[in-house]
Amino acid sequence: MASQLDIPLRGTSLNIVRRCSSHLSAVLESKFGCKATVHGVDFERDPRGPPWRSGTVPEKRFTTTLHGGVELSVWKADLADFEADAVVNAANKRLQHDSGLAKALSIAGGPQIQRESADYIAKRGPLETGDALVLGAGLLRCKKIIHAVGPRLYGNYSKYDFPEAERLLRKVIASILDKVKENRLQSVAIPAISSGLFNFPLPQCADAIVSSVRQYYESASYPGHLPKEILLVNHDERSVAEMERACRQMSASGKSSGGAETSAPPVQPGKVRLTVKKGSIEEQKTDVIVNTTSMDGPQKSGQISKAIFEKGGTEMQQEFYRAHAQRNIKITKGHRLHCKEVFHTVCVERGNDAACQILFDAVLNCLKLAALRKHKSISFPAIGTGNLGFGEDESAQIMSQAVADFTRSYRDEMDVYFVIFQKDASAFKAFDERMSSVRPSASDPGFTQDDDETEHRGGGVGAPTPQISLTGPSNEATHEAERWLSGLLFGSGGAVRICNNFVQHFGERENLQLSHLLQIGVSIEEFFERGRAGLIVSGASVEDVGCACLQVEAMLCSIQGECVAEEERATLTPKNPSFQRKPVDHTSQKFSVTSSDLKKHGLQILKVDEVENSTLERLFALKRKQLGCTDPARIMLQRIPAHFCEMVSRIGFRAEYAPPDEPAFGEGIYFAGKMKKALDVWKVREKEEEYLYFVEAEVLTGRSTPGEPGLILPPAVGENPLVTYDSVSGPDVSVIFSSYQALPRYVITCKTL
């Protein structure tokens, strides 16, 4: 069951979040499966940041939708710190990243960027102008870098040189988009290629890039992959302005063919962007699509509603009938639509005395509900202009005023779209003309939230209190995340000890990153004590220590993710591995037996999840055959930290997860036969741990012998060193040295009584 917690921010904790929100979000998602949403924090006031980061807060300037629903947007942001599936590097033919944007990306991404580029050139030779190449992204926030070679114009170029350079610029944009399609990327960030060191005139560069992107998707007749968004990203104001100009001219011209949508320039009151666009409401790719319908269902709805229900499919229709109305709104999933949710609201015909107020309330309530549910984009049709009998200008005025009222207190970003049917030019004009009314005064009071909104958002009027909202899959997950985060933000005292044996996997990339951290005035000491490894981060500034710790935790999460990917490649796991954790019913015998055993040791069982993983089962069976085990596997326990529960369910056991307090029998993977022994091997430190996690596993111990400290492999059975025991043991303890000898069956969550 989903759970939410709010953590207020103040002083040092506020500055840590302001400086390191991206790392914080990534770590919370990886460690605890929790999504972090930051409210009431002005990121533009970041007084300083790590020296390898520009500190620029990404700012979206414009957005429009192209053929096939591909969104084209203009951003002012730093590509070296931008989040997208891929960023484009304006490269030279030999991929020598020693100047301009290429140098900035190479520094931020670490030595892997230049190393991979040099390896490619050594094997394949230099690229040609117009080529694009996909390589790894190193430490950047994207998944891939697309190195693209644009045309170069020299200072004395003639009028005959320019057409060929423009052709090559268009070619390189097409090459980039080909790579997006081949690699099935959802988003790509493209700079003003060739406009810097390569001397291509910036206005013509912007026109060529924008028109090339548009033409690429207008001419695409294939049914293959389409990305969600193409982002035109530049750091300098002049490039951003030219890209925005080119996009607005393209949109205003209406030259997009094949049913591509056109948009009026958006109005941006506060952080809410309102855009009027042409298109079909059922084809929108926003978080929410609003549908106006009858509560009796699609049979009594208008044409727009019928189109939404038809596109959404029978599953959405069935969910609609089951859903309960909130403020006259029923919520369903998007199903076959391109949205996350559909808000089905009810309005009445214009002849009703309350019709205008009902329309106003419907729009405002949909916006409030979208904000409450953390959505960032919402699409409305031109409500009332069909069978309900509203005039186009009247509907535009009411809906625009509702948006204006909403923006008076909503402080986060949201994209709001009024989507007008393609052929309805008069409605588009009416809504476009009303856009200017959406400009709330800075002194306007905020809307009053109802009790349920106040509970979730913190209540109050005006600017929201700075806080982090944690949303997780369970109460245990959010409380674990809160405990960890509170210790980092409020309890570090200038020094933090990070215990995680994956520190031993740090390589050149991570050590370079640690050296960057030393530049902000912290010291980092590595330790290895009795089988446990980690880092101690200390410094005079609690704020700097907190930021450095978040960076280290992000590095560890990245290492762990790479470990999972490498293991799945090594075991030929399918691209979509089949594993799941299924909750065990509280009334089952398994639950009751486990609960009874835990109570004897002062523990209360909260839940039991059964692990199903066909790949691990196959490897376990192969290992049993290899060892020649004929006896049943032993049922044993291992206690692990919360953030390794997902990893053990996915790729099995690793010694790094759960080193014992006393590694008295070797350096392998420890299991205990009984709960009492497990609590002895992995001691509970009261007040430090609210929840405890145990994995029940089948363990192949095979031929075993007593263990001893320092063993990294089982000892030899006799004189032949190649014939070894299968495991080592101690009192009610077994230690294995191959992860395939244990199969996770249940993950048990409990807490101390």
Side-chain angles (χ1 to χ4, degrees):
M1 181 180 296
S3 171
Q4 179 172 312
L5 281 174
D6 292 332
I7 302 175
L9 300 172
R10 60 187 181 278
T12 300
S13 65
L14 181 61
N15 288 335
I16 292 173
V17 171
R18 185 180 287 133
R19 289 171 60 183
C20 305
S21 63
S22 61
H23 289 312
L24 182 145
S25 298
V27 171
L28 287 169
E29 176 73 27
S30 178
K31 285 174 74 76
F32 307 105
C34 289
K35 180 180 180 181
T37 305
V38 181
H39 301 284
V41 176
D42 182 5
F43 288 97
E44 294 183 2
R45 290 179 55 205
D46 181 359
R48 56 180 175 157
W52 63 93
R53 297 267 297 276
S54 71
T56 301
V57 178
E59 177 188 355
K60 184 186 280 190
R61 292 288 185 84
F62 178 79
T63 185
T64 188
T65 305
L66 304 175
H67 184 77
V70 178
E71 186 174 298
L72 177 66
S73 57
V74 176
W75 292 74
K76 183 177 183 180
D78 181 1
L79 267 183
D81 189 32
F82 195 76
E83 191 167 3
D85 276 7
V87 298
V88 173
N89 173 33
N92 54 44
K93 294 180 179 180
R94 300 198 65 83
L95 299 184
Q96 294 173 337
H97 311 311
D98 50 11
S99 59
L101 173 63
K103 183 176 181 179
L105 291 174
S106 184
I107 291 173
Q112 176 186 342
I113 305 296
Q114 185 62 73
R115 185 169 60 245
E116 286 192 13
S117 299
D119 288 347
Y120 179 89
I121 296 299
K123 294 175 182 177
R124 306 288 184 87
L127 302 177
E128 297 295 332
T129 302
D131 287 349
L133 169 69
V134 178
L135 292 177
L139 302 176
L140 297 174
R141 296 174 64 190
C142 54
K143 298 176 182 177
K144 299 289 184 182
I145 290 183
I146 301 177
H147 299 283
V149 182
R152 181 191 293 269
L153 285 169
Y154 295 92
N156 58 348
Y157 71 87
S158 71
K159 64 179 181 180
Y160 303 106
D161 297 324
F162 184 81
E164 176 62 11
E166 183 179 26
R167 183 189 71 80
L168 290 170
L169 179 56
R170 293 178 179 277
K171 178 184 177 182
V172 78
I173 296 300
S175 297
I176 292 166
L177 299 179
D178 284 342
K179 297 302 180 185
V180 170
K181 180 177 68 172
E182 291 168 11
N183 290 271
R184 304 191 67 80
L185 302 173
Q186 291 300 314
S187 57
V188 61
I190 304 175
I193 297 173
S194 291
S195 66
L197 299 175
F198 282 19
N199 299 311
F200 201 103
L202 182 57
Q204 289 88 339
C205 173
D207 290 336
I209 290 175
V210 170
S211 62
S212 296
V213 172
R214 182 194 67 185
Q215 291 169 8
Y216 185 90
Y217 291 109
E218 284 186 354
S219 62
S221 58
Y222 55 83
H225 171 74
L226 289 173
K228 181 179 180 181
E229 189 171 14
I230 307 297
L231 310 104
L232 305 178
V233 181
N234 292 277
H235 184 260
D236 63 295
E237 181 59 37
R238 183 165 173 256
S239 296
V240 175
E242 286 295 342
M243 289 296 176
E244 184 176 2
R245 172 199 58 76
C247 285
R248 289 189 185 281
Q249 288 180 353
M250 177 197 71
S251 297
S253 69
K255 291 181 180 179
S256 296
S257 61
E261 300 160 342
T262 60
S263 301
V267 172
Q268 185 161 342
K271 292 187 177 181
V272 176
R273 290 173 292 272
L274 175 61
T275 305
V276 178
K277 63 191 298 187
K278 293 180 181 179
S280 300
I281 187 69
E282 69 273 16
E283 298 296 338
Q284 300 311 299
K285 293 185 176 182
T286 47
D287 288 350
V288 178
I289 289 176
V290 174
N291 176 31
T292 52
T293 187
S294 164
M295 284 300 170
D296 294 329
Q299 290 78 9
K300 296 187 178 181
S301 302
Q303 292 301 313
I304 289 178
S305 183
K306 287 180 180 177
I308 290 174
F309 277 116
E310 182 177 343
K311 176 82 173 179
T314 56
E315 297 92 343
M316 190 173 78
Q317 297 178 29
Q318 292 168 357
E319 186 182 0
F320 173 87
Y321 288 117
R322 296 192 303 267
H324 298 288
Q326 308 175 38
R327 298 195 190 96
N328 224 23
I329 299 170
K330 285 189 174 185
I331 302 174
T332 68
K333 296 178 182 177
H335 294 285
R336 299 180 186 177
L337 298 177
H338 302 299
C339 61
K340 296 178 181 177
E341 292 185 325
V342 180
F343 291 175
H344 305 269
T345 187
V346 175
C347 294
V348 298
E349 293 183 3
R350 182 64 183 87
N352 189 302
D353 292 340
C356 293
Q357 185 63 45
I358 291 172
L359 173 55
F360 177 89
D361 290 343
V363 175
L364 184 57
N365 286 336
C366 284
L367 291 167
K368 288 184 180 182
L369 193 57
L372 180 63
R373 297 171 75 85
K374 314 300 183 189
H375 292 306
K376 293 300 182 184
S377 56
I378 184 170
S379 294
F380 291 88
I383 300 176
T385 57
N387 296 336
L388 296 182
F390 283 83
E392 292 162 343
D393 186 69
E394 186 178 30
S395 174
Q397 180 182 7
I398 294 170
M399 293 181 66
S400 298
Q401 189 57 49
V403 175
D405 275 27
F406 172 71
T407 62
R408 286 172 182 156
S409 70
Y410 186 66
R411 296 293 182 262
D412 288 341
E413 291 190 354
M414 183 179 291
D415 285 297
V416 180
Y417 298 94
F418 291 161
V419 183
I420 314 300
F421 186 63
Q422 191 78 28
K423 297 181 180 179
D424 198 343
S426 60
F428 184 86
K429 180 180 179 182
F431 275 81
D432 186 23
E433 290 175 350
R434 284 290 173 184
M435 290 274 281
S436 60
S437 67
V438 191
R439 300 187 185 278
S441 168
S443 61
D444 283 343
F447 64 75
T448 302
Q449 295 173 320
D450 293 339
D451 290 341
D452 59 338
E453 289 175 323
T454 305
E455 178 183 351
H456 289 281
R457 293 180 59 91
V461 176
T465 301
Q467 66 180 28
I468 296 174
S469 293
L470 290 176
T471 305
S474 66
N475 287 331
E476 299 82 41
T478 51
H479 279 88
E480 285 280 10
E482 179 194 32
R483 182 180 63 83
W484 173 82
L485 186 56
S486 296
L488 182 69
L489 296 179
F490 306 113
S492 66
V496 175
R497 185 182 178 93
I498 300 174
C499 294
N500 190 321
N501 277 29
F502 277 95
V503 164
Q504 298 172 87
H505 293 259
F506 278 9
E508 180 184 358
R509 177 185 65 177
E510 290 74 30
N511 288 325
L512 176 65
Q513 216 166 349
L514 291 177
S515 69
H516 283 313
L517 290 175
L518 299 178
Q519 299 176 29
I520 65 173
V522 299
S523 64
I524 300 174
E525 178 186 354
E526 187 173 355
F527 67 85
F528 188 83
E529 302 169 355
R530 298 159 75 179
R532 294 176 182 268
L535 298 172
I536 299 173
V537 183
S538 58
S541 166
V542 174
E543 182 181 325
D544 287 342
V545 169
C547 289
C549 286
L550 279 172
Q551 179 81 350
V552 170
E553 291 280 9
M555 293 160 60
L556 287 166
C557 290
S558 177
I559 287 284
Q560 290 161 203
E562 290 171 5
C563 175
V564 170
E566 182 179 346
E567 179 65 21
E568 289 178 342
R569 286 194 298 269
T571 57
L572 302 179
T573 302
K575 289 185 178 180
N576 297 310
S578 175
F579 76 94
Q580 58 180 329
R581 286 164 54 185
K582 296 168 55 178
V584 174
D585 192 273
H586 284 217
T587 61
S588 73
Q589 182 180 7
K590 176 65 183 176
F591 194 96
S592 100
V593 170
T594 304
S595 180
S596 176
D597 187 34
L598 286 169
K599 284 181 181 178
K600 298 175 185 177
H601 304 287
L603 299 174
Q604 176 189 354
I605 189 169
L606 299 177
K607 64 176 182 176
V608 177
D609 292 331
E610 183 178 6
V611 178
E612 293 185 354
N613 188 318
S614 57
T615 300
L616 293 182
E617 290 174 2
R618 173 175 57 85
L619 295 171
F620 185 73
L622 289 172
K623 193 65 177 180
R624 178 192 289 274
K625 185 176 180 180
Q626 179 190 359
L627 297 179
C629 293
T630 56
D631 295 333
R634 289 191 65 187
I635 305 301
M636 306 191 77
L637 295 167
Q638 183 181 93
R639 183 177 160 223
I640 64 173
H643 52 276
F644 288 134
C645 289
E646 187 70 11
M647 283 187 73
V648 78
S649 302
R650 186 164 183 168
I651 62 169
F653 295 94
R654 293 292 180 276
E656 293 91 342
Y657 300 165
D661 286 10
E662 294 283 348
F665 311 110
E667 305 298 328
I669 305 170
Y670 277 64
F671 292 92
K674 297 283 192 274
M675 180 61 69
K676 180 179 179 181
K677 190 62 179 181
L679 294 173
D680 183 50
V681 173
W682 299 279
K683 290 181 173 58
V684 178
R685 292 161 179 81
E686 293 186 11
K687 297 182 180 178
E688 292 185 18
E689 299 164 286
E690 181 177 1
Y691 300 100
L692 306 181
Y693 301 85
F694 297 89
V695 181
E696 184 178 291
E698 295 182 37
V699 182
L700 300 172
T701 57
R703 292 182 299 176
S704 189
T705 189
E708 60 185 48
L711 285 175
I712 60 173
L713 289 172
V717 174
E719 295 182 358
N720 185 349
L722 299 179
V723 180
T724 64
Y725 286 96
D726 302 322
S727 67
V728 298
S729 60
D732 202 25
V733 169
S734 288
V735 183
I736 61 174
F737 297 85
S738 168
S739 62
Y740 303 145
Q741 284 179 234
L743 178 64
R745 285 302 191 188
Y746 297 95
V747 177
I748 304 164
T749 305
C750 55
K751 66 185 300 185
T752 54
L753 291 172

